[in-house]
């Protein structure tokens, strides 16, 4: 049975092409080749409760040739605990039949059908049509039958299941499985400084090479050992951070100079074993090294659950001691059969039995993301698979604030029965009456809301969810923000996401407040004290570090627990921020973004990242900066007088205004074409000729070494060739963007041949290098073009000449240029086209390998690669931590910060880091303070009373400030302090700052420096003045 969910004209794409507008963020994770291999694979998923549909959702979004679903069983009300594509009126209908059309809506490029059988094992030959079979909710007996058949017939197999807070995954990708790229990291490359006769390679200027033992490299541009260039990859032995050995180089001659090395990814071959053998002697990947003894026990425990079900027809009943004792006996029997005896934790096995019928949305999210990524690995050869088992549990989530018993955990006939089986009805009530704030409704936000809807968060009388996101939905969002459909493009994310999850769980109707404002300092009158004080917790779903830090600061100030998470391709993390317990998100920072020396960008690029950064600067210099400057000149009174005070920038600024208003102002699109052609000549011919005039190719440094060596690549000027696609694309994009600045129409309707006709009628002036031009040779040297003590008045004549050439602003009333606002995701606006062409022309100048449009967009647009699998998994981890917060757990060891990399795969969990503590000596002895969470809270007392209050604590205030206003200093003379001492703190702030405290603000923050009883300066928390408004 085929299901038609087409919402995109698939016919627009040629066979094998990839819709980059839809898959752009995922392409940066997987690459074109891996996605093309995925696009020719057929996948079968068996079992469509929460876990199965999570896997189906992730695979459908990723894009495969076909996705087939199997589950003839009737949907039950308890399935709604985690199955987000089922509705209450679907109960009793076959799960596959009602689920398939909804999965089909996710991606028009992934056809979805239903496997036409009542049993997968009745005719195993039917499985030959699939490259991968995924089994969930399948009996162990059927797993073994399918595993043996799949292994013998080259069909990849993934078996995955969850049991409450426990879960497992097994993979079998057959014999001689080839991994094309084990880690997904970009290949390392660098510049060679030397190669000795023993094959020891040193990197240039002690730059870390970044290689590991066993890596392979190739060489190019090596002089003196020319046979290395383009030869077979050489295996690396690392000798140090700046050196590595490539083995025997005898007979290759003596190294002279130059050379580049580039890492080559070599395939890795793995032999998998079938399930029958792996049951006896499992190969297990650790998911949590703090639980080293659990995987072997769970390996036996889950087999015992299957044995129990075979005998009784169902898994053990929730929290039933009789069933748990039976399971324990089965496990004890299995524990004595293996080669190595497994030590059993009776409490662990009993808990597994208690939860066997549990079905939790966050566990389905975790294992659904994990299993889907394993499926994609199998068909693409990209990233290292799990070999062959992984077990994971989150028993720390079990509540301690409420009771659990067989009576409280038994089925209620509720949509939450899968969760009640684990936590009980009392905890379900707690979940329902939470007031939670979600910041961001993008990829993580959609997944978070889905999980919240399924667990019943905020569905009670006191419950509420606030969702803030000001962004609109774009086509590229649809690949991983699964609550959105093509019809939603252009609508607000917060509104669409809220609408989708209220349809998913109607009990949320009226419980979600959407806010269309950015959460930041400028909206503190909206997200005010009343708003923050009413919250139980906050969850970040942001990809912007500044925004995350702002929300983090507000959570610290209002002492609200915060759950923060993020993804970067296959990497993901979650962090728990708990008042008075942990450090905050802002306590640690990522390394700063990579920046390049200006000298390198201006004159000496040696890699494509340099030319892309240069092209982005040109984008700003051509289409953003000058139009903005012109608009200021036209609209801002006294702009010239202000500009003349800029000291050093006066002439370039005024020249820019003159060029855009007088000498280079276009009146037709033809003028824009000609201007673009002149820019080509200026940047790629004239500037290079000038550079080579200053530093000829045979020039040497003061030490006699060749100037053009090491990181300095000698360039060559380009001669314009209209038949060269890159040359032409530069002119076309530049002309269109210049026309946009002036509001000149016609560019998109002009045929390519017209550009050529206009350029053929142009006369390009012959360029002669200027002996007076100076070029900085190294960033360590002073810039010869910088001001050398020369006053701007020395240029008075030139300045006056420039000013006189400008039309008076009053004659330009109503005139306004349109600066270009960079937008990377609109393929029709010429922005990325310009940067790609400009960068690649520069690369041609310097003989640097060019980058295609896709890679250029990634680097220039600072795109964060993303894939639905990582997002789903990380969100599952966040919701597991949310359970703990709602339970009220108050010791740091019960929480887990998590880091995962699905490519490796790697899982790391750790206790959150405790908040920093400080001490001071007070009147009553030593006092410990929490440097992050503690503060002194005071009423609106006078300054004198303030000083007395802290003096009574043994702290002498030396200085007191609020914002930029210094309110008190011990060194102030008495006559300056006399009028201040009697003022209330609020009056003092308003008097000194000369600003009224805003009406919405209910507190004022003070910082103070103090000395304790030792007479030494000590660090103490800030002071908060409470204003009762």
């Amino acid at each position: 049975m085929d299901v038609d969910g087409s919402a995109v004209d698939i016919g627009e794409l040629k066979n094998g092409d990839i819709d980059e507008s839809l898959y752009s963020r995922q392409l940066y994770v997987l690459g074109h080749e891996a996605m093309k291999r995925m696009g020719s694979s057929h996948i079968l998923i068996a079992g469509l409760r929460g876990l199965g549909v999570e896997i189906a959702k992730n695979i459908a979004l990723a894009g495969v040739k076909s996705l087939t679903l199997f589950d003839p069983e009737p949907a039950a009300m308890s399935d709604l605990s985690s199955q987000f594509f089922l509705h209450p009126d679907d109960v009793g209908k076959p799960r596959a039949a009602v689920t398939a059309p909804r999965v089909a809506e996710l991606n028009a490029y992934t056809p979805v059908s239903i496997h036409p059988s009542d049993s997968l094992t009745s005719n195993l030959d039917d499985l030959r049509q699939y490259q991968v079979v995924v089994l969930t909710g399948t009996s162990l007996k059927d797993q073994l039958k399918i595993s043996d058949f799949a292994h013998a017939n080259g069909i990849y197999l993934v078996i995955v299941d969850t049991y409450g807070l426990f879960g497992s995954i097994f993979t079998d990708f057959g014999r001689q499985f080839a991994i094309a790229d084990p880690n997904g990291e970009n290949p390392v490359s660098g510049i060679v400084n030397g190669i000795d006769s023993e094959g020891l390679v040193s990197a240039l200027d002690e730059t870390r090479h970044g290689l590991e033992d066993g890596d392979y490299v190739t060489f190019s541009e090596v002089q003196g050992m020319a046979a290395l260039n383009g030869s077979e990859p050489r295996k690396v032995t690392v000798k140090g951070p700046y050196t590595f050995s490539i083995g025997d180089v005898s007979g290759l001659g003596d190294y002279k100079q130059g050379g580049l090395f580039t890492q080559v990814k070599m395939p890795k071959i793995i032999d998998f074993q079938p399930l029958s053998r792996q049951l006896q002697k499992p190969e297990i990947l650790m998911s949590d090294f703090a639980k080293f003894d659990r995987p072997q026990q769970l390996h036996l425990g889950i087999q015992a659950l299957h044995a129990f079900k075979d005998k009784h027809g169902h898994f053990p009943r929730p929290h039933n001691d009789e069933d748990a004792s039976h399971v324990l006996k089965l496990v004890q029997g299995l524990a004595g059969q293996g080669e190595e005896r497994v030590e059993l934790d009776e409490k662990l096995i009993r808990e597994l039995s208690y939860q066997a019928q549990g079905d939790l949305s966050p566990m389905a999210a975790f294992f659904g993301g994990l299993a889907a990524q394993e499926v994609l690995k199998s068909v693409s050869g990209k990233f290292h698979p799990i070999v062959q088992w992984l077990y994971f549990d989150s028993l720390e989530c079990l509540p301690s604030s409420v009771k659990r018993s067989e009576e409280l955990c038994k089925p209620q006939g509720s949509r939450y029965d899968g969760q009640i089986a684990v936590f009980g009805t009392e905890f379900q009530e707690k979940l329902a009456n939470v007031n939670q704030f979600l910041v961001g409704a993008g990829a993580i936000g959609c997944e978070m809301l889905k999980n919240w809807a399924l667990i019943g968060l905020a569905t009670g009388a006191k419950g509420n969810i606030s969702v803030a996101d000001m962004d609109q939905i774009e086509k590229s969002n649809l690949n991983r923000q699964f609550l959105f459909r093509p019809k939603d493009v252009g609508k607000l994310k917060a509104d669409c996401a809220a609408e989708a999850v209220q349809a998913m769980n109607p009990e949320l109707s009226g419980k979600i407040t959407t806010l269309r404002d950015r959460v930041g300092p400028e909206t503190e009158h909206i997200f005010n004290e009343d708003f923050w004080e009413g919250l139980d917790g906050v969850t970040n779903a942001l990809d912007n570090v500044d925004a995350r830090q702002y929300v983090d600061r507000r959570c610290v100030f209002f002492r609200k627990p915060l759950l923060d998470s993020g993804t970067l391709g296959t990497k993901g993390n979650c962090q728990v921020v708990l008042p008075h317990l942990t450090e905050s998100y802002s306590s640690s920072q990522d390394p700063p973004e990579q920046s390049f020396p200006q000298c390198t960008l201006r004159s000496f690029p040696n890699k494509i990242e340099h030319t892309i950064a240069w092209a982005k600067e040109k984008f700003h210099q051509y289409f953003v900066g000058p139009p903005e400057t012109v608009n200021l000149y036209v609209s801002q009174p006294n702009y010239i007088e202000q500009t003349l005070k800029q000291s050093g920038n006066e002439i370039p600024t005024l020249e820019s205004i003159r060029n855009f208003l007088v000498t280079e102002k276009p009146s037709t699109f033809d003028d824009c074409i000609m201007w673009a052609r002149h820019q080509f000549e200026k940047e790629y011919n004239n500037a290079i000729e000038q550079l080579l005039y200053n530093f000829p190719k045979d020039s040497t440094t003061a030490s006699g070494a060749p100037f053009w060596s090491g990181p300095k690549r000698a360039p060559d000027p380009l001669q314009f060739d209209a038949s060269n696609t890159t040359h032409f694309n530069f002119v076309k994009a530049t002309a269109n963007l210049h026309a946009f600045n002036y509001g000149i129409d016609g560019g998109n309707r002009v045929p390519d041949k017209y550009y050529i006709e206009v350029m053929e009628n142009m006369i390009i002036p012959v360029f002669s290098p200027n002996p007076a031009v100076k070029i900085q040779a190294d960033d360590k040297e002073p810039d010869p073009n910088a001001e050398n003590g020369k006053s701007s008045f020395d240029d008075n004549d030139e300045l006056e000449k420039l000013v006189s050439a400008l039309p008076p602003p009053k004659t330009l009333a109503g005139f306004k240029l349109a600066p270009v606002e960079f937008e990377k995701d609109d393929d029709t606006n010429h922005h990325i086209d310009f940067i790609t062409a400009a960068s690649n022309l520069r690369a041609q100048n310097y003989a640097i390998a060019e980058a295609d449009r896709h890679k250029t967009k990634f680097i220039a647009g600072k795109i964060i690669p993303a894939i639905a699998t990582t997002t789903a998994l990380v969100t599952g981890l966040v919701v597991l931590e949310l359970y703990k917060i709602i339970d009220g757990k108050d010791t740091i060891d019960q929480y887990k910060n998590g880091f995962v990399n699905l490519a490796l795969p790697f899982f790391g969990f750790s206790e959150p880091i405790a908040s920093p503590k400080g001490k001071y000596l007070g009147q009553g002895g030593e006092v410990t303070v929490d440097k992050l969470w503690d503060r002194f809270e005071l009423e609106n007392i006078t300054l004198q009373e303030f000083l007395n209050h802290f003096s009574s604590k043994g702290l002498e205030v030396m200085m007191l400030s609020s914002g930029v206003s210094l309110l008190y200093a011990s060194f102030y003379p008495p006559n300056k302090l006399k009028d201040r001492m009697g003022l209330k703190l609020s009056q003092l702030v308003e008097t000194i700052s000369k600003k009224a405290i805003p009406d919405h603000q209910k507190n004022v923050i003070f910082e103070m420096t103090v000395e304790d009883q030792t007479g030494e300066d000590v660090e103490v928390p800030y002071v908060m003045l409470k204003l009762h408004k």
Side-chain angles (χ1 to χ4, degrees):
M1 173 185 165
D2 291 329
V3 179
D4 182 18
S6 181
V8 178
D9 183 2
I10 299 175
E12 291 176 1
L13 293 184
K14 297 174 186 174
N15 187 34
D17 282 356
I18 295 169
D19 185 346
E20 292 192 4
S21 63
L22 176 67
Y23 290 119
S24 67
R25 303 306 188 263
Q26 180 175 293
L27 274 165
Y28 295 119
V29 183
L30 299 174
H32 283 80
E33 285 307 310
M35 280 202 60
K36 283 178 180 174
R37 287 193 288 271
M38 285 160 44
S40 61
S41 26
H42 303 273
I43 315 296
L44 171 68
I45 298 175
L48 290 172
R49 297 178 72 206
L51 177 56
V53 80
E54 182 71 44
I55 299 167
K57 177 258 291 181
N58 292 328
I59 292 173
L61 291 172
V64 292
K65 181 77 171 176
S66 75
L67 178 61
T68 306
L69 307 180
F70 172 80
D71 193 338
E73 294 299 313
M77 181 59 78
S78 60
D79 294 341
L80 274 64
S81 292
S82 61
Q83 221 282 29
F84 46 84
F85 279 153
L86 288 180
H87 306 144
D89 56 5
D90 295 323
V91 172
K93 300 173 186 175
R95 289 196 197 106
V98 292
T99 302
R102 294 158 195 168
V103 174
E105 289 178 2
L106 292 169
N107 189 350
Y109 298 119
T110 301
V112 178
S113 60
I114 297 170
H115 186 76
S117 173
D118 289 332
S119 167
L120 283 184
T121 54
S122 60
N123 185 1
L124 291 171
D125 282 333
D126 286 348
L127 301 181
R128 293 183 190 274
Q129 61 189 298
Y130 306 113
Q131 274 74 50
V132 192
V133 173
V134 182
L135 301 179
T136 75
T138 307
S139 70
L140 182 57
K141 183 172 64 177
D142 284 354
Q143 288 177 17
L144 287 163
K145 284 182 188 174
I146 293 168
S147 168
D148 288 343
F149 180 84
H151 192 82
N153 288 277
I155 300 166
Y156 303 141
L157 179 67
V158 176
I159 302 172
V160 58
D161 280 300
T162 64
Y163 308 90
L165 290 165
F166 298 90
S168 70
I169 183 170
F170 167 80
T171 63
D172 174 10
F173 298 162
R175 305 177 194 88
Q176 296 288 291
F177 177 76
I179 308 166
D181 181 357
N183 61 18
E185 300 297 330
N186 290 325
V188 172
S189 62
I191 301 172
V192 175
N193 189 49
I195 306 174
D196 70 11
S197 58
E198 302 297 317
L200 186 71
V201 181
S202 55
L204 181 74
D205 292 340
E206 294 214 332
T207 305
R208 290 178 179 272
H209 52 67
L211 296 166
E212 297 178 1
D213 277 343
D215 285 344
Y216 285 78
V217 294
T218 57
F219 292 87
S220 60
E221 301 182 19
V222 176
Q223 296 178 35
M225 285 186 173
L228 271 180
N229 297 327
S231 64
E232 287 296 307
R234 292 265 187 156
K235 191 173 183 178
V236 166
T237 303
V238 172
K239 297 298 184 182
Y242 314 107
T243 56
F244 59 91
S245 171
I246 56 170
D248 183 18
V249 292
S250 58
L252 297 180
D254 294 327
Y255 173 81
K256 291 181 181 176
Q257 68 173 36
L260 304 172
F261 67 85
T262 304
Q263 181 189 6
V264 178
K265 296 287 183 82
M266 302 296 279
K268 180 179 179 180
I269 308 299
I270 297 179
D271 277 325
F272 285 80
Q273 295 179 344
L275 178 63
S276 53
R277 289 183 61 187
Q278 277 287 305
L279 280 175
Q280 304 306 315
K281 195 173 181 181
E283 190 170 353
I284 298 174
L285 174 70
M286 287 299 299
S287 64
D288 188 343
F289 287 94
K291 302 174 180 179
F292 203 78
D293 60 335
R294 287 194 187 171
Q296 289 284 357
Q297 294 184 70
L298 295 178
H299 184 71
L300 302 178
I302 290 172
Q303 291 179 60
L305 292 183
H306 281 286
F308 183 98
K309 187 176 181 183
D310 286 345
K311 183 174 181 180
H312 297 279
H314 59 79
F315 281 126
R317 289 163 290 180
H319 226 281
N320 181 281
D321 285 321
E322 182 185 343
D323 289 356
S325 296
H326 187 176
V327 170
L328 180 61
K329 284 183 182 177
L330 290 169
V331 176
Q332 288 168 340
L334 290 167
Q337 293 175 9
E339 294 179 15
E340 296 179 13
R341 182 162 183 83
V342 178
E343 292 293 325
L344 296 179
D345 176 351
E346 181 178 333
K347 190 176 177 183
L348 177 73
I349 302 302
R350 285 188 172 277
E351 200 58 67
L352 176 63
S353 177
Y354 288 164
Q355 299 183 34
Q357 292 190 25
D359 187 11
L360 298 177
S361 172
M363 290 296 289
F366 178 89
F367 276 97
L370 186 58
Q373 190 66 60
E374 292 305 302
V375 170
L376 301 182
K377 290 176 187 179
S378 71
V379 295
S380 69
K382 181 92 171 184
F383 310 138
H384 200 292
I386 291 170
V387 182
Q388 289 189 244
W389 295 91
L390 178 136
Y391 290 92
F392 172 79
D393 74 79
S394 188
L395 288 185
E396 306 81 20
C397 294
L398 289 174
S400 53
S401 63
V402 296
K403 298 186 186 72
R404 290 192 308 144
S405 66
E406 185 173 5
E407 180 64 25
L408 291 170
C409 295
K410 72 180 183 182
Q412 311 287 310
S414 153
R415 65 176 295 135
Y416 308 116
D417 276 355
Q419 184 165 259
I420 288 169
V422 179
F423 296 128
T425 53
E426 292 181 5
F427 190 68
Q428 190 63 46
E429 184 68 18
K430 284 192 103 167
L431 288 172
N433 289 290
V434 167
N435 188 347
Q436 194 75 9
F437 183 26
L438 177 65
V439 192
I444 289 176
C446 282
E447 293 287 339
M448 204 70 68
L449 283 170
K450 172 208 64 178
N451 278 279
W452 290 1
L454 294 170
I455 70 174
L457 190 79
T459 53
K462 299 176 183 176
N464 187 72
I465 294 170
S466 299
V467 185
D469 197 312
M470 60 180 292
D471 287 346
Q472 294 177 317
I473 298 164
E474 299 173 0
K475 186 180 178 183
S476 65
N477 300 150
L478 303 180
N479 172 238
R480 64 201 184 282
Q481 300 177 17
F482 91 106
L483 295 179
F484 308 141
R485 301 291 180 269
K487 64 180 174 58
D488 297 324
V489 171
K491 297 178 184 176
L492 284 165
K493 288 183 177 180
D495 290 347
C496 287
E499 185 181 329
V501 294
Q502 286 173 101
M504 196 177 284
N505 184 355
E507 292 180 22
L508 269 178
S509 295
K511 296 292 182 180
I512 301 181
T513 306
T514 58
L515 300 149
R516 304 165 189 181
D517 301 280
R518 186 191 305 278
V519 182
E522 69 279 9
T523 55
E524 287 183 5
H525 61 291
I526 297 169
F527 303 98
N528 55 25
E529 280 86 348
D530 289 341
F531 174 84
W532 285 96
E533 293 291 357
L535 298 174
D536 293 312
V538 182
T539 302
N540 265 349
L542 297 162
D543 61 3
N544 177 302
V545 171
D546 290 341
R548 289 163 81 172
Q549 288 179 335
Y550 173 79
V551 173
D552 175 67
R553 290 195 298 272
R554 299 305 276 171
C555 287
V556 170
F557 182 78
F558 290 104
R559 294 168 172 166
K560 299 297 178 183
L562 170 67
L563 290 165
D564 188 275
S565 59
T567 69
L568 182 71
T570 59
K571 302 182 183 82
N573 74 286
C574 71
Q575 180 180 355
V576 190
V577 178
L578 300 163
H580 308 293
L581 287 179
T582 73
E583 67 173 16
S584 73
Y585 172 79
S586 305
S587 300
S588 57
Q589 293 188 340
D590 293 330
E593 282 186 22
Q594 183 183 21
S595 60
F596 303 116
Q598 277 302 308
C599 191
T600 300
L601 296 185
R602 279 198 299 259
S603 305
F604 308 112
N606 58 60
K607 55 184 180 180
I608 198 67
E609 288 80 4
H610 295 157
T611 69
I612 291 172
W614 177 89
K616 201 167 179 193
E617 282 191 4
K618 289 298 168 188
F619 182 92
H620 188 274
Q621 289 172 19
Y622 285 177
F623 314 118
V624 184
E628 288 176 345
T629 304
V630 166
N631 289 344
L632 288 172
Y633 170 73
V634 171
S635 62
Q636 190 173 303
N638 304 320
Y639 180 75
I640 292 293
E641 289 80 354
Q642 294 297 321
T643 301
L644 296 181
K645 295 176 184 176
Q646 287 179 3
S647 179
N649 285 328
E650 317 96 322
I651 291 178
T653 301
L654 293 174
E655 283 178 340
S656 172
I657 298 171
R658 179 202 63 195
N659 293 346
F660 268 65
L661 281 179
V662 184
T663 56
E664 296 177 3
K665 182 182 177 184
S667 56
T668 66
F669 190 69
D670 288 17
D671 294 337
C672 296
I673 296 173
M674 289 188 281
W675 184 83
R677 173 65 183 86
H678 282 301
Q679 301 316 306
F680 179 98
E681 203 68 20
K682 173 184 165 188
E683 303 293 358
Y684 304 110
N685 183 286
N686 303 356
I688 301 301
E689 287 195 21
Q690 181 70 55
L691 181 63
L692 291 173
Y693 175 84
N694 285 53
F695 304 110
K697 288 194 175 184
D698 59 357
S699 56
T700 56
T701 64
S703 63
F707 179 84
W708 295 105
S709 62
K712 289 186 171 73
R713 302 174 67 82
D716 290 297
L718 298 182
Q719 301 301 317
F720 184 78
D721 177 4
S723 65
N724 182 304
T725 304
T726 309
H727 294 209
F728 178 81
N729 286 347
F730 173 85
V731 171
K732 183 176 180 179
T734 305
N736 276 277
L737 290 169
H738 197 55
F740 176 88
N741 286 151
Y742 288 90
I744 295 172
D745 195 18
N748 288 326
R749 295 196 296 271
V750 171
D752 289 357
K753 65 180 182 180
Y754 186 79
Y755 291 84
I756 297 170
E757 290 170 5
V758 171
M759 289 187 285
E760 284 175 345
N761 291 320
M762 290 176 64
I763 298 174
I764 304 298
V766 175
F767 176 76
S768 296
N770 182 352
V773 170
K774 297 175 182 177
I775 298 175
Q776 187 179 10
D778 194 299
D779 270 296
K780 296 172 185 173
E781 298 177 3
D783 185 350
N785 298 303
E787 295 291 308
N788 295 314
K790 183 177 73 170
S791 166
S792 59
F793 292 107
D794 295 345
D795 291 323
N796 264 353
D797 288 346
E798 189 173 352
L799 286 170
E800 287 180 15
K801 191 176 175 183
L802 280 169
V803 171
S804 65
L806 300 179
K810 61 184 178 183
T811 67
L812 298 167
F815 178 83
K816 190 177 182 183
L817 293 182
V820 175
E821 190 173 331
F822 179 64
E823 171 49 59
K824 59 187 176 291
D825 284 321
D826 181 352
D827 290 341
T828 66
N829 64 12
H830 303 286
H831 298 187
I832 296 298
D833 295 334
F834 170 82
I835 292 172
T836 303
S839 165
N840 283 338
L841 289 171
R842 182 100 166 145
Q844 289 176 17
N845 280 138
Y846 287 87
I848 296 168
E850 297 175 36
D852 61 14
R853 189 182 190 280
H854 181 68
K855 180 177 179 180
T856 303
K857 176 179 173 179
F858 176 63
I859 297 171
K862 297 181 179 178
I863 288 175
I864 298 172
I867 189 167
T869 50
T870 315
T871 306
L873 185 148
V874 165
T875 309
L877 292 177
V878 172
V879 177
L880 291 172
E881 298 306 308
L882 178 63
Y883 282 144
K884 302 173 188 178
I885 290 173
I886 292 171
D887 182 44
K889 296 185 188 304
D890 57 6
T891 58
I892 205 168
D893 61 350
Q894 293 174 294
Y895 292 89
K896 298 259 186 188
N897 286 348
F899 174 79
V900 301
N901 185 344
L902 297 186
L904 298 179
F906 170 81
F907 302 85
F909 296 96
S910 61
E911 276 183 22
I913 297 172
S915 52
K917 306 296 189 291
K919 294 178 180 177
Y920 68 85
L921 188 63
Q923 296 281 26
E926 192 174 76
V927 179
T928 300
V929 293
D930 190 312
K931 291 183 179 180
L932 180 64
W933 296 100
D934 282 348
R935 62 177 173 238
F936 299 107
E937 295 187 2
L938 294 177
E939 299 297 324
N940 197 9
I941 56 179
T942 66
L943 176 58
Q944 184 64 64
E945 290 168 332
F946 180 94
L947 299 175
N948 294 343
H949 173 80
F950 283 101
S951 183
S952 70
K953 290 178 176 288
L955 297 172
E956 297 304 318
V957 178
M958 309 309 292
M959 283 193 287
L960 177 68
S961 63
S962 180
V964 296
S965 301
L966 183 60
L967 308 176
Y968 167 84
S970 59
F971 54 78
Y972 277 175
N975 62 340
K976 187 169 185 176
L977 293 174
K978 182 178 64 175
D979 293 335
R980 299 187 183 190
M981 287 299 192
L983 291 177
K984 299 276 189 182
L985 292 174
S986 61
Q987 294 173 298
L988 181 63
V989 169
E990 291 182 326
T991 302
I992 304 302
S993 69
K994 298 183 173 61
K995 290 180 184 176
I997 297 169
D999 288 339
H1000 69 269
Q1001 191 174 319
K1002 294 189 176 182
N1003 50 66
V1004 180
I1005 302 304
F1006 297 87
E1007 301 283 350
M1008 58 182 182
T1009 57
V1010 299
E1011 292 179 355
D1012 69 357
Q1013 296 295 288
T1014 65
E1016 298 291 327
D1017 285 348
V1018 289
E1019 187 179 344
V1020 293
Y1022 66 89
V1023 179
M1024 185 177 88
L1025 165 64
K1026 294 186 286 187
L1027 302 173
H1028 297 286
K1029 293 186 178 180

